[in-house]
Coordinates of all heavy atoms in Angstrom, one line a residue:
V348 N -0.3 13.9 2.8 CA -0.1 13.1 4.0 C 1.4 12.8 4.1 O 2.0 12.6 3.0 CB -1.0 11.8 4.1 CG1 -0.6 10.9 3.0 CG2 -0.9 11.2 5.4
W349 N 1.9 12.7 5.3 CA 3.3 12.4 5.5 C 3.4 11.4 6.6 O 2.9 11.6 7.7 CB 4.1 13.7 5.9 CG 5.6 13.5 5.9 CD1 6.4 12.9 6.8 CD2 6.5 14.0 4.9 NE1 7.7 12.9 6.4 CE2 7.8 13.6 5.3 CE3 6.4 14.7 3.7 CZ2 9.0 13.9 4.5 CZ3 7.5 15.0 2.9 CH2 8.8 14.6 3.3
Y350 N 4.1 10.3 6.3 CA 4.3 9.2 7.2 C 5.8 9.1 7.7 O 6.7 9.4 6.9 CB 3.9 7.8 6.6 CG 2.5 7.7 6.1 CD1 2.3 7.8 4.7 CD2 1.4 7.5 6.9 CE1 1.0 7.7 4.2 CE2 0.2 7.3 6.4 CZ -0.1 7.4 5.1 OH -1.3 7.3 4.6
R351 N 6.0 8.7 8.9 CA 7.3 8.5 9.4 C 7.3 7.3 10.4 O 6.4 7.2 11.2 CB 7.9 9.8 10.2 CG 9.3 9.6 10.7 CD 9.7 10.8 11.6 NE 8.9 10.9 12.8 CZ 9.0 11.9 13.7 NH1 9.9 12.9 13.4 NH2 8.3 12.0 14.8
A352 N 8.3 6.4 10.3 CA 8.4 5.3 11.1 C 9.8 5.2 11.8 O 10.8 5.5 11.1 CB 8.1 4.0 10.4
R353 N 9.8 4.8 13.0 CA 11.1 4.7 13.8 C 11.1 3.4 14.6 O 10.0 3.0 15.1 CB 11.3 5.9 14.7 CG 11.4 7.2 14.1 CD 11.3 8.3 15.1 NE 9.9 8.5 15.6 CZ 9.6 9.1 16.7 NH1 10.5 9.6 17.5 NH2 8.3 9.3 17.0
P354 N 12.2 2.8 14.9 CA 12.3 1.7 15.9 C 11.9 2.2 17.3 O 12.1 3.3 17.6 CB 13.7 1.3 15.8 CG 14.5 2.5 15.4 CD 13.6 3.2 14.4
D355 N 11.2 1.3 18.0 CA 10.9 1.6 19.4 C 11.7 0.7 20.3 O 11.3 -0.5 20.6 CB 9.4 1.3 19.6 CG 8.8 1.7 20.9 OD1 9.6 2.2 21.7 OD2 7.6 1.5 21.2
G356 N 12.9 1.2 20.7 CA 13.8 0.3 21.5 C 14.5 -0.7 20.6 O 14.6 -0.5 19.4
D357 N 14.9 -1.8 21.2 CA 15.7 -2.8 20.6 C 14.8 -3.9 20.0 O 15.4 -4.8 19.4 CB 16.7 -3.4 21.5 CG 17.9 -2.4 21.8 OD1 18.1 -1.5 21.0 OD2 18.5 -2.6 22.8
D358 N 13.6 -3.9 20.3 CA 12.7 -5.0 19.8 C 12.4 -4.8 18.4 O 11.7 -3.8 18.0 CB 11.4 -5.0 20.7 CG 10.5 -6.2 20.4 OD1 10.7 -6.9 19.3 OD2 9.6 -6.5 21.2
P359 N 12.8 -5.7 17.5 CA 12.5 -5.5 16.1 C 11.0 -5.6 15.7 O 10.6 -5.3 14.6 CB 13.2 -6.7 15.4 CG 13.5 -7.7 16.4 CD 13.5 -6.9 17.7
S360 N 10.2 -6.0 16.7 CA 8.7 -6.1 16.5 C 7.9 -5.0 17.1 O 6.7 -5.1 17.3 CB 8.2 -7.4 17.1 OG 8.7 -8.6 16.4
K361 N 8.6 -3.8 17.3 CA 7.9 -2.6 17.8 C 8.4 -1.4 17.0 O 9.6 -1.3 16.7 CB 8.2 -2.4 19.3 CG 7.6 -3.5 20.2 CD 7.9 -3.1 21.6 CE 7.3 -4.1 22.6 NZ 7.6 -3.8 24.0
C362 N 7.5 -0.5 16.8 CA 7.9 0.8 16.1 C 7.0 1.9 16.6 O 6.0 1.7 17.2 CB 7.9 0.7 14.6 SG 6.2 0.8 13.9

Side-chain angles (χ1 to χ4, degrees):
V348 66
W349 191 284
Y350 303 102
R351 180 184 68 183
R353 297 169 282 161
D355 188 0
D357 289 339
D358 187 342
S360 295
K361 292 182 179 180
C362 77

